[in-house]
Amino acid sequence: MSVLFVLVVAGCVDRDLPVATDVDATRGAALFDASCADCHGADGRGGVGPDLTMLSADAGGTFPRDAVMAQIDGLGRHGDSDAVMPEFGAGDMGATVIVEHDGLGTPVPADLLALTTYLETIQR
């Protein structure tokens, strides 16, 4: 399966991170280090938060990209008083890019996609 990324809006340059429309694992790793490692560990294997390196294994061997993006964004848990993880979608998640699959395009914040791309690379 191939996913085509089409840049829709040019992003701003973040102080210490690559350009906001970068959706690769390198940018995702920097975002993870800045926003996720305190709870999920520097290697993603857990700590206060759960192990993020087993998401594919727990989903039958396929990385659950859409579910991961929804969890990070906070979709479906807005206002949930039991939710421990912050709703990162409530903040600035970067410029929008279009993820095209089977002829349908979905706008996704670039930082959300970069972080998800990185998480896919650390699966074991």
Side-chain angles (χ1 to χ4, degrees):
M1 168 182 14
S2 108
V3 177
L4 174 65
F5 302 110
V6 181
L7 300 180
V8 175
V9 178
C12 302
V13 175
D14 197 328
R15 289 175 291 283
D16 298 318
L17 300 174
V19 177
T21 52
D22 290 343
V23 294
D24 63 9
T26 300
R27 178 164 175 78
L31 292 165
F32 184 87
D33 186 52
S35 300
C36 310
D38 285 348
C39 291
H40 294 284
D43 60 0
R45 292 189 180 201
V48 175
D51 184 338
L52 300 178
T53 66
M54 299 298 292
L55 300 172
S56 292
D58 292 345
T62 302
F63 184 71
R65 184 187 72 172
D66 294 345
V68 168
M69 286 195 294
Q71 180 68 24
I72 295 167
D73 177 77
L75 186 64
R77 53 188 181 89
H78 296 295
D80 180 357
S81 60
D82 293 329
V84 175
M85 188 170 137
E87 293 179 15
F88 289 103
D92 182 12
M93 299 269 330
T96 302
V97 297
I98 298 296
V99 175
E100 194 170 307
H101 177 68
D102 292 336
L104 299 173
T106 302
V108 176
D111 287 350
L112 178 60
L113 189 56
L115 185 53
T116 304
T117 300
Y118 169 70
L119 291 175
E120 187 170 10
T121 69
I122 64 169
Q123 298 306 293
R124 48 187 177 109

